[in-house]
Amino acid sequence: MKKIIALSLTLFLTACATSGNIDITDRNHYGLKCSQNAKSNPNWEVCMESAKQICGVQQVANVKQLSPTGSGDPNDSYFMTFSCH
């Protein structure tokens, strides 16, 4: 059973890596939820401050502001992705 779960997780992560815009192999790449839901306004300034705290002494780079996907999922909201360099 553990092998099936591990294999399923590996296949899921591989699918995400090949179909999405987020590179999950880059350990310096992060994402932050910037609104409560898809209908609320994003707070990009608070997200940027959080990104600076996450990066610490490194610089926040490659910032992308992403709109909700419209999937209807409760977690669908505005996101910001970034990396630390």
Side-chain angles (χ1 to χ4, degrees):
M1 185 66 165
K2 288 182 183 181
K3 289 181 181 180
I4 293 173
I5 292 172
L7 180 61
S8 297
L9 181 59
T10 303
L11 291 173
F12 174 74
L13 291 176
T14 302
C16 289
T18 58
S19 65
N21 293 331
I22 299 173
D23 182 4
I24 62 172
T25 61
D26 183 355
R27 299 200 187 276
N28 286 326
H29 198 90
Y30 302 94
L32 292 171
K33 186 175 177 178
C34 299
S35 68
Q36 291 297 318
N37 55 48
K39 295 180 181 177
S40 62
N41 291 327
N43 192 334
W44 301 119
E45 294 81 21
V46 170
C47 274
M48 184 55 84
E49 289 302 316
S50 296
K52 289 177 183 176
Q53 289 177 350
I54 291 170
C55 288
V57 297
Q58 295 179 322
Q59 296 293 318
V60 177
N62 303 320
V63 175
K64 293 180 184 173
Q65 296 175 344
L66 306 171
S67 298
T69 62
S71 67
D73 186 279
N75 288 319
D76 189 21
S77 61
Y78 290 89
F79 278 86
M80 182 177 87
T81 61
F82 63 97
S83 57
C84 301
H85 295 280

